Amino acid sequence: MKPATAKTAVVVSLSLDELCRFCQADRNWVIELVEHGVLEPEGPTLQSWQFHSVSIARAKKARRLNRDLGVNAAGVALVLDLLAEREEMLRRLAVLDDR
């Protein structure tokens, strides 16, 4: 990953097509991730969907799981939920350790 510079643009949100290009993923696959609750776009229609930072990061992780390990959309949803639960448990333990 290249270092941030003054010319580096900060991405606030991406459309469906932009997210597909960013993740090098098929449109139907991204739609399937939305159906499984992995991604939460804003907007009432596919054409107006906007994906923000959390969804962009989750989409990138989902794509790596799919590409590198062959995990399908349902499996990606499960893995990402379990990883989020693990992170929350680790945060809670860290708070208890600080007492």
Side-chain angles (χ1 to χ4, degrees):
M1 178 176 263
K2 69 178 186 175
T5 64
K7 294 182 181 181
T8 303
V10 175
V11 176
V12 176
S13 68
L14 296 174
S15 69
L16 175 59
D17 290 332
E18 291 168 334
L19 184 66
C20 290
R21 280 192 300 276
F22 179 72
C23 293
Q24 299 176 345
D26 180 73
R27 224 178 129 116
N28 291 329
W29 185 77
V30 173
I31 293 168
E32 193 174 357
L33 291 178
V34 171
E35 291 170 351
H36 283 282
V38 174
L39 306 177
E40 296 179 7
E42 287 186 11
T45 65
L46 291 174
Q47 293 76 21
S48 65
W49 276 1
Q50 289 294 306
F51 297 89
H52 298 284
S53 58
V54 172
S55 285
I56 294 168
R58 285 178 65 91
K60 198 68 169 173
K61 286 180 187 178
R63 184 65 184 121
R64 282 194 308 268
L65 287 166
N66 174 255
R67 183 189 61 229
D68 298 347
L69 302 174
V71 180
N72 65 15
V76 164
L78 177 63
V79 169
L80 292 179
D81 285 347
L82 290 172
L83 287 172
E85 283 182 33
R86 178 183 178 272
E87 288 173 19
E88 177 61 26
M89 292 170 98
L90 290 173
R91 269 194 294 276
R92 289 181 183 179
L93 286 172
V95 169
L96 291 174
D97 284 345
D98 289 341
R99 289 184 180 177

